[in-house]
Amino acid sequence: MIVTTRPRRTKTVQYAVLLGYLVFLGFPLLWMLSMSFKGPRELVQLYPSFIPEDFTFENYRTALTEDDHQLVRNGINSLKVAAVTALLTTMIGLPAAYVLARRKGLITRLGLGWILLSQMFPLILIIIPLFLLLRDLKLTNSHIGLVVVYVVWALPFILWMLMSYIRGIPHDLEEAATVDGASRFQILVGIIAPLLVPGIVVTTLFAFISAWNEFFFALVILENPDLTTLPLRLAQYVGIEGVVRFGPLAAAALLATAPSLILFTIIQRWLARGLLSGAVKG
Amino acid sequence: MRKVITLGVLTLLCTVLVAGAQAGKQASVVKLKFATYVWQPTTVAANKAIVESWNKSHPGIQVEIVPVDVNSVHDKLLTSFVGGTAADVIHDEAADIAGFTQQGYLANLTPLIPKTLKRTIPNSLWQTTNFGGKITGVPALLQTYNIFANMDILKSAGIKAPTLADPWTWPEFRANAKRLTTSGRFGVCWGLRSPTAVTQTMSLNYGGQFFYLENGKWTFKFGPNDQNVVRQMHDMIHVDKSVDPAATGLSGSAVLPAFFGGKCAMTVAGNFAAQSMILQSPKGFNWAMFPLLKGRTQEQVANPQTYSISQQSTNKQAAMFFISYLVNRQNLAKLALGDWLIPANPEAGKLARKSTKRTGSWKIATESVVHFRKGNWVSLAAYPRWKAEVAQPNFVQYLRGSISLEDLGKNLEDGWKRINGR
């Protein structure tokens, strides 16, 4: 009797804690959803209600149509920049991570040290030299320039992540393939890559979301409003001295969150596998 | 055959001539970039309309708007200046252009400003953008800090609203705030999350400048004039208990729900908060914006929005023509109405008053122009850093009651020595 009750109680507590955690995580999103359907007067009520009293789509209409549908244009820009960044980062990161994970020697150690070191410079320190470099390459105010920066910015972390996944794949598999006459490239594409799919998904997703959410580089590099990305658009709802256009901001922020949420939902299976795979060592 | 060749040659010649004429026409068009941080939809629309009308009426000088995020103006401008990609016309504020002027990024507008424009703006405002004889910005729009009151609560307490002729003094404000404080209500909800601007601006009521020129060097001093306003604010929170202490940690706009909900009778905010009162207050909410508080005077520090010309611009004269157009009476009134800010040109203020129904608050706002004075801190290049690193945290600590007035003065002075001494 005691044996069967304890696990049930434990499970109940576990589920209660999990539910509490889910509410904690999901509440800001739900509150944002609620705000996005409220009018300007209801948004500053002293005792706000969760369910909007005067339900309105006005905030969505404003967010989507304001400035000649600027939000939509900025959303397309973000999608373009984030997708290309994710693709390029993974394409460059995968072979580099393989070499760094499998080759041992002074150059590898120096390379890893340098990658780690490059992560230690604060953003504010590198932004002006980076801007000057992009200007000389005529890449300011262009998506290409922004993608180059995002790839460079995301690559060190991606490399470390992919390296840990590659190290988790037994070396014996590659040795067996070598014995069978496979080349390095064939091993990478035919043996390593399929086993790394979860890791690749996770790193691609990381690169995508980093680029999707990034604000400061986009602020400095982009000038033309037709080229700007979503985070810059969202910032325009926040004005001086804490004055915020809460309604349109909530609507626009919710629309901006949607692609990431959908992407997560689709590939969460891979994500869970990838996380587990990365956690296993040796 | 000969006819065909002649026709071909003539066609080619015509094409070359037309193309040449087109190229010549395009080359003679001056293109200006105008970096602006307007963000309220009404002002964005007004700004766009002004630029469009300029472009239509001035085919030889075409202006392109470059939007800048209102909360990242300094960073964006700095990188563009350093990178040599700065816009020709720069929208900023007086306190921020001091540093850019010192670094040589902004053009001296003194010889470029038309006499007519010079006359339309009071000299006290030109002083805010005059750095050692060089004017590097045209003052455009300003804000004051005013009391907003729930008139129903005031009437029920038998308190009369102040008038332009008879404004409240600080002691009257304190006394009324105390009278209006009951068990379920505070006299004032004051959003003091970032208290430096409001404190220093209103300190001029008692002549408090905080920074004084001594032996050719700007020195921080915290004498009785400088202490007066911040001490009274502190005492309202901790001695009178007429200011809601919970609200002091919020921004000016974040206290509005409490004000609208009747949890406090008054709030102190920038005059532009009138826009929120109109758009967001509950239907039938009876509010009023009061004239500037009076210490020894009603003076407040002017830190106007400014229009400058980048030193890198190759079309400074054309840029000045555009600025003159941008701040003419009609256009400045449109921009002022969009942001609910006070136009530097009093004539534009009168025009703005005529174009709105809320004449009461606009009258009070525009009549305030005469009380604007130059604050010494506005022209100090090291001021923005001192404000962010030293003043904000120390004013917050003092108003929370964590440090004494003496400690506040010492910390502010030490911080200035550290930052300015570098």
Side-chain angles (χ1 to χ4, degrees), chain A residues 41 44 135 219 222-223 241-242, chain B residues 33 76 83 145 253 257 281:
Chain A
R41 286 198 162 82
V44 291
R135 183 203 60 185
L219 171 83
L222 300 176
E223 200 174 82
E241 301 214 8
Chain B
K33 282 190 175 178
K76 178 72 182 176
Y145 287 96
S253 58
S281 65

Side-chain angles (χ1 to χ4, degrees), chain B residues 27-282:
Chain B
S28 66
V29 174
V30 172
K31 288 186 176 173
L32 296 178
K33 282 190 175 178
F34 169 31
T36 172
Y37 63 83
V38 290
W39 72 281
Q40 303 243 46
T42 39
T43 327
V44 171
N47 208 44
K48 205 174 158 191
I50 293 167
V51 169
E52 276 171 6
S53 86
W54 165 272
N55 285 342
K56 215 172 172 183
S57 57
H58 297 78
I61 305 172
Q62 293 295 289
V63 176
E64 182 198 343
I65 294 175
V66 179
V68 177
D69 172 46
V70 64
N71 293 305
S72 315
V73 178
H74 185 85
D75 294 339
K76 178 72 182 176
L77 291 180
L78 182 64
T79 35
S80 63
F81 282 135
V82 175
T85 59
D88 300 272
V89 179
I90 310 275
H91 180 196
D92 200 355
E93 66 171 20
D96 200 37
I97 64 169
F100 290 141
T101 302
Q102 198 184 53
Q103 288 157 338
Y105 291 130
L106 297 178
N108 178 13
L109 306 183
T110 318
L112 300 172
I113 299 168
K115 279 180 186 165
T116 45
L117 173 60
K118 196 81 194 286
R119 276 198 302 268
T120 59
I121 295 170
N123 201 39
S124 58
L125 297 182
W126 283 114
Q127 287 302 313
T128 61
T129 56
N130 189 330
F131 304 97
K134 285 183 186 173
I135 293 173
T136 56
V138 175
L141 300 166
L142 304 100
Q143 72 162 78
T144 50
Y145 287 96
N146 297 70
I147 296 166
F148 289 84
N150 181 330
M151 290 310 292
D152 290 338
I153 297 177
L154 261 73
K155 271 178 197 161
S156 63
I159 295 173
K160 267 187 160 182
T163 61
L164 277 167
D166 186 18
W168 278 358
T169 59
W170 272 92
E172 281 173 323
F173 172 47
R174 279 185 68 174
N176 287 327
K178 218 171 162 181
R179 256 178 80 183
L180 290 163
T181 304
T182 60
S183 59
R185 185 184 68 211
F186 281 96
V188 186
C189 286
W190 200 335
L192 291 167
R193 193 179 63 183
S194 308
T196 311
V198 64
T199 307
Q200 289 198 281
T201 299
M202 294 177 95
S203 288
L204 211 55
N205 287 173
Y206 290 95
Q209 282 277 13
F210 296 91
F211 296 93
Y212 302 89
L213 196 59
E214 277 188 354
N215 304 321
K217 203 177 172 190
W218 286 104
T219 310
F220 178 87
K221 285 196 168 181
F222 199 50
N225 292 343
D226 311 292
Q227 295 171 11
N228 207 328
V229 165
V230 74
R231 186 176 41 75
Q232 295 202 63
M233 287 160 72
H234 173 275
D235 290 353
M236 284 175 81
I237 302 166
H238 300 284
V239 181
D240 303 349
K241 302 200 185 298
S242 59
V243 172
D244 182 358
T248 55
L250 302 172
S251 70
S253 58
V255 301
L256 290 182
F259 178 59
F260 294 151
K263 288 284 161 190
C264 40
M266 296 182 283
T267 184
V268 182
N271 69 289
F272 57 81
Q275 193 175 28
S276 302
M277 303 284 160
I278 292 165
L279 295 176
Q280 295 185 306
S281 65

Side-chain angles (χ1 to χ4, degrees), chain A residues 100-102 104 112 160 162-170 282:
Chain A
L100 289 168
R102 289 294 189 236
K104 305 233 179 316
L112 287 174
W160 279 95
L162 280 173
M163 268 166 51
S164 81
Y165 287 120
I166 292 167
R167 281 178 183 152
I169 296 168

Side-chain angles (χ1 to χ4, degrees), chain A residues 74-274:
Chain A
N74 296 153
I76 293 167
N77 290 340
S78 277
L79 200 64
K80 203 163 75 179
V81 167
V84 175
T85 301
L87 204 70
L88 280 178
T89 314
T90 312
M91 278 169 65
I92 299 167
L94 183 60
Y98 177 71
V99 172
L100 289 168
R102 289 294 189 236
R103 295 264 176 178
K104 305 233 179 316
L106 183 66
I107 293 175
T108 305
R109 281 204 300 277
L110 282 175
L112 287 174
W114 177 245
I115 290 165
L116 205 63
L117 194 72
S118 70
Q119 288 290 283
M120 291 173 185
F121 295 106
L123 186 63
I124 202 76
L125 199 72
I126 62 159
I127 193 70
I128 289 177
L130 191 71
F131 183 79
L132 294 176
L133 208 64
L134 289 172
R135 183 203 60 185
D136 293 346
L137 295 169
K138 303 211 180 307
L139 288 178
T140 52
N141 200 26
S142 87
H143 284 161
I144 298 172
L146 195 62
V147 168
V148 167
V149 172
Y150 285 171
V151 169
V152 171
W153 195 248
L155 209 50
F157 189 72
I158 297 287
L159 277 173
W160 279 95
M161 271 175 91
L162 280 173
M163 268 166 51
S164 81
Y165 287 120
I166 292 167
R167 281 178 183 152
I169 296 168
H171 213 292
D172 299 350
L173 286 172
E174 290 171 58
E175 281 173 1
T178 314
V179 170
D180 289 342
S183 67
R184 277 273 173 211
F185 183 72
Q186 282 171 325
I187 290 170
L188 184 64
V189 174
I191 310 284
I192 302 290
L195 289 170
L196 263 183
V197 169
I200 292 170
V201 168
V202 171
T203 48
T204 308
L205 196 66
F206 172 81
F208 181 89
I209 291 178
S210 304
W212 181 265
N213 289 334
E214 203 284 328
F215 173 80
F216 195 59
F217 284 128
L219 171 83
V220 173
I221 294 168
L222 300 176
E223 200 174 82
N224 186 337
D226 288 338
L227 291 179
T228 52
T229 49
L230 268 179
L232 297 185
R233 178 69 192 164
L234 295 183
Q236 285 178 6
Y237 296 107
V238 183
I240 46 168
E241 301 214 8
V243 181
V244 183
R245 295 172 62 210
F246 280 116
L249 175 63
L254 211 71
L255 292 170
T257 317
S260 306
L261 278 178
I262 294 165
L263 208 66
F264 257 116
T265 314
I266 294 169
I267 57 174
Q268 60 165 325
R269 195 162 51 96
W270 291 109
L271 189 71
R273 267 199 230 169

